[in-house]
Structure formats: C-alpha cells, structure tokens
Amino acid sequence: MLYKIPKSFINELLINTNIVELISSKINTIKKGKNYYSICPFHNEKTPSFSISFEKQFYYCFGCHVHGNAIDFLINYEKMNFIESIKELSFLNGMKIPKQNIYFKKYLKEENLHNTLNTISLNYQKNIYKEKNKIAIKYLKYRGINEKSIKTFSIGYSNNIKNVSKNYIKKNKNFVNNLIKSGILYNEKNIVKNRFTERIMFPIKNLQGKINGFGARSIFKKIPKYLNSPETKIFKKKENLYGLFETYKYNKKIKKLLIVEGYFDVITLFQNKIKYSISILGTSINTNIIKKLFNICNTLIYCYDGDNAGKIASWKTLEISLPYIKDENVLKFIFLPKGEDPDSIIKKEGIKKFKNRIKNAVPMSKLLFKKLLKKNNLSNPEEKTKFSITAISMIEKIPGKTIKFFLKKILGNKLGILEINELSEYKIKKKNIVSSKKKKKILV
C-alpha cells in the first residue's frame, strides 16, 4: 500500500512556517515596504529582483520568474525532495508528521538502499587504512591524492574477498539482499560475489550527500580499469555527476562549473583550489545532464580528455546544448594536448598554466564556426550554400535572441552578406529543400 502525507497537515505546516525567516536564514535579505528582497539565488544578477512576501507566504523572482512557497524553496535551494522538505519544516516548527502516513513505499525502498550504501561506504573507508590494504593508500599517494581529499571525497577500498560465505549470508540476510539490489554484490550460479574486489572506491553522491552508487578503479591491472555500479532504483549512470555534492558544499554560490571526465581529475582540481569541478560518468553527455547543469549555473566549461573521443564528445556536447543556450548562458571548451587529462596536465604544467587554460577556454561560437569551416572552404557558391544551410539550422535551435543575432552576424560576415535579413533567404531555401525531399519520399 502507498501512503501519502495528508493535505491538511501540509497546509497546517505552511501556515505555521514564516517564509521570510526561513529564506532569510539561508540568504541575505533587505526589507523594502511590505516585502523582503534579495539577489536571486537561482540565477546570476546584480540588482535584487527576488522578493519574499510575508502576507502571501510566497517568493517570486522578477528576473527568472522562479516562484513558490516554503516547500518549493527547500526543494529548489537545498535540493531536497518533497518528503525531506516536509521533514525539515516539521522539525523547524516542532510538529509531528502523522506516523501512519509518513512515507511513500518507493521512498522507503530508496532510503533503505541509501542507508545500505552508506554503511558499506564506511566499511570501505575503514578498509583503506588497514595494514593488509596499504597498497591502496600507496596507490593514492602515487596519484598525488592527499589525506584531506581521501576524507573529503570519502574514498575507500574494497577488500580481496571475492565470494561471500554462506554463513555470512545466513546471519546478514537483509543486508546482503540490499547489497545485491544496490549492485555491490551479485549472484552467479547461487554464489554471491563481490563486484568490486580489490578496487579503490569513489562514492557518487546526490545533492544531499546520500550515496547513489560507486565508481571503482582497479589497482591490479584488472579489466575493466574503471567499473561503475550497475543501474539500480537510485543509480542511473546518465543522470549522476561525480563531485556535485562537494561542489555545493564548498561554494556558497556556484558561478561556473568545470566539467571533466574522471574521478582523479575532480579530486586533483579540488586539491588545487578549483572547487567547482564535476565529472560526467564517461563521455556520454545527454539533454538531462545539460538541463541539470544550466539549472545550477549559467557558465559551463567542458574539458574533455585530449584524444579523439574527447574531440567528438566536445562537438556532441555543443550540438545537444544549442536548444538550452539562453542569452545569460555561457558555453566554453578547453582542449588539452593529445593523451592528456586535467590530472596529468596539472602535474606536468602546474596549476597556474591550467588556470590560464580555463581563462582562455574556447567560446561555443568560435568552436561552432571552426568546425563547420573545416568541412567547407567557401571557395564557391555550392560550398557557401552547404555551409550556410548547416550553420543556420544549428543557430535557429538557440532560444537566446541576442546570441542568435550575433551568431547570424558572424555568419553573414563569413558569407560576405552585410544585411542579416538577407540570411532569411537561406532559411527559406532550406525549408524548400527539406519539403521537396519529403515529397519525393511520398511519391516513391
């Protein structure tokens, strides 16, 4: 049976909550007339446009139009889920949630898995300091990871036990079942096995610091070198970001994000005081991640590894980001030398040079035209036509009117067109070409 929190209790909770006190405890506010104002915590701005009404117990931003009540604020600002926000407000108001209706069944199952992963993570963290596992610490030191980082990122080590004994399973049946559900253990021909034997363990946390899954690095040349938790109810590889919890923890306001590929990249950057770095789990970027990142901040800087896969990933990232580039959003790219990643290049060049790489990151507009011009030399009308159709189709995907205007202006200059309005002819031609192709298919 699924349980819900009674609506009457939620309404009573909101009535007893002073939204002004709640928000003022999180951000700086100033009273102007009846309402309170602040710099909006959900988008970058210089003039305060975020208003809080005591009378309505409601907040509204005149800049980005975000709005809501006390529950909405905790969900959006503290990154809590609905149940967690109710628990937080209940605690602040000294109110008890009706016991028989506290949780959804789904939420209970997820909490159970989170608790299991937290328990096993603590076990991994203890393992790393055991004498028999000193090779793990030795390896981390070899990679330049210091003691503080080991604790900050809760790094651990999975021991050399490959198969779980039947006696242990019998005594810890529920715990073992949860470890199987969370992907730590797996069953093969009635033998329960450890998925991450002899691997360095990197917990992948959500915004509340709860562990969704693990990334694991072999130190004995096992294949694959890196292994992630399998897909579970709380872990989806395409939806998770490594280092996001730590980034929120060490930044009052996130102004920019540096997106890299590896766990060691994030940790090395943090050690060098670049505490706004996160890692996607592999080079597989997707629209959900793009939207999530732009919701966190307006400036995204991608730094993929300096190999062919990294270059392909950069272009793919640019293409799928276009529909989410508003005028306030900035998208940039760092291209490292072949065979290098942030971890390796910092050790070779030093952090000062890497910071210069961040400073001189390639803007989206420059990469867009550089890539398109590489395939078209514009030496004849046919090349210009092909180039313009491709470029316009990509520019039109961008919702930001100002950035779209300037991109069209750059395109016009490259084509030798002085008036931007003349580019509309190319747009019309492109539509005609597409429609004629569709007609041909129908005739066939």
Side-chain angles (χ1 to χ4, degrees), residues 280-317:
I280 53 176
L281 305 183
T283 56
S284 183
I285 196 79
N286 58 75
T287 53
N288 287 334
I289 292 289
I290 297 288
K291 286 191 279 186
K292 188 175 184 177
L293 293 174
F294 271 132
N295 281 336
I296 295 167
C297 70
N298 292 333
T299 301
L300 306 180
I301 305 168
Y302 287 87
C303 181
Y304 290 114
D305 292 352
D307 52 19
N308 193 50
K311 289 175 183 177
I312 292 168
S314 294
W315 182 246
K316 184 185 175 184
T317 299

Side-chain angles (χ1 to χ4, degrees), residues 206-340:
N206 65 17
L207 287 174
Q208 288 77 49
K210 294 176 182 177
I211 299 169
N212 288 340
F214 289 92
R217 209 285 185 191
S218 169
I219 56 175
F220 290 107
K221 296 183 179 179
K222 284 186 180 180
I223 297 174
K225 187 192 292 184
Y226 284 95
L227 188 64
N228 288 118
S229 290
E231 299 276 307
T232 67
K233 288 182 178 179
I234 60 172
F235 182 75
K236 302 287 183 290
K237 187 179 176 181
K238 289 184 178 180
E239 295 174 8
N240 280 266
L241 295 160
Y242 182 71
L244 192 57
F245 169 72
E246 289 78 12
T247 298
Y248 266 96
K249 187 177 177 180
Y250 288 96
N251 292 278
K252 287 184 179 179
K253 188 168 184 179
I254 301 169
K255 294 181 180 179
K256 58 187 172 185
L257 282 173
L258 178 63
I259 300 99
V260 295
E261 287 185 57
Y263 306 112
F264 284 107
D265 295 329
V266 171
I267 298 164
T268 298
L269 287 161
F270 259 72
Q271 280 187 189
N272 286 279
K273 298 184 179 178
I274 297 177
K275 296 183 178 181
Y276 51 88
S277 172
I278 59 171
S279 172
I280 53 176
L281 305 183
T283 56
S284 183
I285 196 79
N286 58 75
T287 53
N288 287 334
I289 292 289
I290 297 288
K291 286 191 279 186
K292 188 175 184 177
L293 293 174
F294 271 132
N295 281 336
I296 295 167
C297 70
N298 292 333
T299 301
L300 306 180
I301 305 168
Y302 287 87
C303 181
Y304 290 114
D305 292 352
D307 52 19
N308 193 50
K311 289 175 183 177
I312 292 168
S314 294
W315 182 246
K316 184 185 175 184
T317 299
L318 185 149
E319 285 187 296
I320 67 172
S321 297
L322 293 176
Y324 307 101
I325 298 176
K326 298 174 184 176
D327 285 336
E328 64 269 22
N329 292 342
V330 176
L331 183 65
K332 292 184 177 183
F333 297 88
I334 295 171
F335 293 96
L336 299 177
K338 190 175 181 180
E340 302 289 357

Side-chain angles (χ1 to χ4, degrees), residues 71-130:
I71 295 169
D72 298 315
F73 183 80
L74 289 177
I75 289 171
N76 292 318
Y77 184 77
E78 296 288 0
K79 308 301 176 187
M80 295 179 176
N81 59 37
F82 180 74
I83 299 293
E84 288 165 339
S85 68
I86 296 293
K87 286 173 75 177
E88 177 73 7
L89 291 180
S90 300
F91 174 77
L92 292 173
N93 287 291
M95 296 171 67
K96 286 186 178 180
I97 305 171
K99 285 184 179 178
Q100 70 274 21
N101 295 321
I102 295 179
Y103 301 113
F104 292 101
K105 192 176 180 182
K106 180 185 174 186
Y107 179 76
L108 271 175
K109 285 181 178 179
E110 289 180 356
E111 277 295 285
N112 212 2
L113 291 181
H114 281 305
N115 291 335
T116 300
L117 290 179
N118 184 62
T119 301
I120 198 67
S121 180
L122 290 172
N123 184 262
Y124 291 149
Q125 289 168 62
K126 288 177 184 176
N127 271 347
I128 208 166
Y129 293 106
K130 290 179 179 177

